[in-house]
Amino acid sequence: MASVGLLASIIVSLLAASSAPTPLYAIYQQRWGFSPITVTVVFGVYALAVLVSLLVLGKISDHLGRRPVLLAALLGQALAMVVFLTAGGVEALLAARVVQGLSTGAAVGALGAGMLDIDPRRGAFLNSFAPAVGTASGALASGLIVQYLPAPTRLVYVVLLAVFALQALGVLALRETVDRKPGALASMAPEIKLPAAARSSVAVAAPVLFAVWALTGLYGALGPAIARTLEHSDSVVWGGLPLFVLAATAGLAVWVLRRTATRTVMMIGIGTLITGVAITLVSIASGTGGALSVAGFFAGGVISGFGFGSGFQGGIRMVVPRVAPHERAGVLSLLYVVCYLGLGVPAVIGGILVVHGGGLVPTAREYGGAVIALALVALTGLVLSGRRVERVSVVRSASGSPAGTSVAVNACMADAAARAE
């Protein structure tokens, strides 16, 4: 249990570090005079670096072992914190985000697979729960440190640097969960390869994962500016609060729905995502702010955050049980590729539209509308996939063949397993 807890804590700290700069962007912008496009580029560069790392290094822990990959990733995170500490301009921010993204991408597949190696049931839950906790804690803690403690652009990185050093010591004491095997270099060749057993599940889960992480991109890249505009405040805490609300509610959703059937979790996720984003769009429609708009914005964040957590959890649970242990790191890395595409690409496009389109509020409305459209696509895929499974089961059962019995038994077993998680 301690080993699983350590691995989960590393996911928390990695995601906390990724969201920690969010409340600081306003300070950096004031000091160095860059535009909103630059904010979203700094945000998007991190997602791009994670993507590259996932594609190149996502499967390497299946060959080298979990421990060496995690130690290298923690060293990379420590280096990124040092670059943040000494940053004197946008170029340093970009460099720190690239190093941070590369090390995060290398780690997430190894961490997720490592937790499943040790304890499949807890590992599946923590793979969904820990990222939400990390994102929430990083955004809020950073905002509070910047607002109320000395050295606002440095202290948060010192704290994270110490955390990564302690976690590296913990990894040194971990028992390795996989045997080394040849093919590490070959595994670094980027490829999109899915085990046949997981392909249909990924096809259903991918639109959901993309949509919920696109929502996170909205709150991470544009949320601080929206909150300050509605509240008419320059407080850094307000800048980190939207992402905290979204991610904290996501973590709550993962916990509350951990024993709910996977398909039901997906339906809840899509429904609450659409509802929450719609409320958010209504609340910011005028762009003038005020108490009602602020309340609606955060209420929408709570509801859509529940959709984020349940949609992310449902997507992971729909896919992971269908792959063999030696395929886990690669498949988890591929799922994170989908997530980080959703996180990075729409955020960068949003930054461009803020400057060259209609401004902040119209861009947020367009962004939210796109998230709703993606969620509807995901809902369509989920409904159609359920009908296909039901149709196949009915046809085979009617034929009286052993296959029909097998399909029915497997469906019942899968549902029972999902409820037991």
Side-chain angles (χ1 to χ4, degrees), residues 32-396:
W32 302 328
F34 52 77
S35 72
I37 292 180
T38 304
V39 175
T40 54
V41 167
V42 172
F43 189 88
V45 159
Y46 166 78
L48 179 61
V50 173
L51 283 174
V52 171
S53 184
L54 286 168
L55 289 171
V56 175
L57 302 173
K59 296 179 287 186
I60 200 166
S61 75
D62 289 334
H63 299 271
L64 298 181
R66 314 300 187 204
R67 290 173 68 244
V69 173
L70 292 179
L71 287 170
L74 288 169
L75 178 62
Q77 287 289 326
L79 176 61
M81 296 305 104
V82 172
V83 177
F84 274 125
L85 277 168
T86 58
V90 175
E91 295 80 6
L93 285 185
L94 291 170
R97 291 297 265 175
V98 168
V99 174
Q100 192 179 40
L102 291 174
S103 54
T104 299
V108 290
L111 288 165
M115 290 191 293
L116 292 168
D117 294 339
I118 298 168
D119 189 330
R121 184 176 65 84
R122 286 192 178 94
F125 166 69
L126 289 171
N127 264 304
S128 303
F129 185 68
V133 173
T135 303
S137 60
L140 183 62
S142 177
L144 292 172
I145 288 172
V146 170
Q147 187 74 31
Y148 299 111
L149 294 178
T153 60
R154 291 184 171 86
L155 183 57
V156 64
Y157 302 123
V158 172
V159 172
L160 286 166
L161 182 60
V163 169
F164 291 132
L166 290 173
Q167 288 173 332
L169 293 175
V171 170
L172 286 172
L174 274 181
R175 177 181 62 85
E176 183 57 74
T177 58
V178 295
D179 296 326
R180 282 177 174 256
K181 62 181 182 180
L185 287 177
S187 75
M188 294 173 66
E191 62 175 350
I192 304 297
K193 185 178 180 181
L194 269 177
R199 289 173 188 169
S200 60
S201 297
V202 170
V204 175
V208 180
L209 295 174
F210 190 98
V212 298
W213 282 86
L215 177 69
T216 309
L218 170 64
Y219 274 76
L222 302 181
I226 294 171
R228 287 193 295 268
T229 298
L230 296 178
E231 180 60 23
H232 306 297
S233 169
D234 293 328
S235 170
V236 177
V237 176
W238 278 107
L241 202 55
L243 188 57
F244 167 77
V245 167
L246 181 84
T249 314
L252 177 64
V254 172
W255 175 262
V256 170
L257 300 175
R258 67 192 185 281
R259 300 187 187 280
T260 306
T262 300
R263 189 175 179 80
T264 303
V265 171
M266 293 284 274
M267 287 292 191
I268 291 172
I270 295 171
T272 50
L273 181 69
I274 292 172
T275 303
V277 174
I279 291 172
T280 300
L281 295 182
V282 171
S283 70
I284 66 174
S286 67
T288 57
L292 192 59
S293 291
V294 172
F297 177 68
F298 283 104
V302 168
I303 297 169
S304 53
F306 202 89
F308 169 34
S310 47
F312 182 52
Q313 176 184 206
I316 296 292
R317 280 170 45 182
M318 181 171 280
V319 175
V320 169
R322 299 182 182 275
V323 300
H326 68 279
E327 299 167 329
R328 284 172 179 162
V331 171
L332 279 169
S333 295
L334 181 58
L335 293 179
Y336 273 106
V337 165
V338 174
C339 294
Y340 278 94
L341 277 172
L343 180 70
V345 174
V348 173
I349 294 173
I352 294 171
L353 291 176
V354 168
V355 175
H356 298 294
L360 178 63
V361 172
T363 297
R365 288 200 296 263
E366 293 163 5
Y367 198 134
V371 170
I372 290 175
L374 283 169
L376 291 173
V377 170
L379 177 62
T380 302
L382 190 61
V383 170
L384 291 177
S385 70
R387 288 177 179 173
R388 283 197 297 270
V389 171
E390 182 180 355
R391 189 162 52 247
V392 170
S393 299
V394 169
V395 169
R396 291 185 176 177

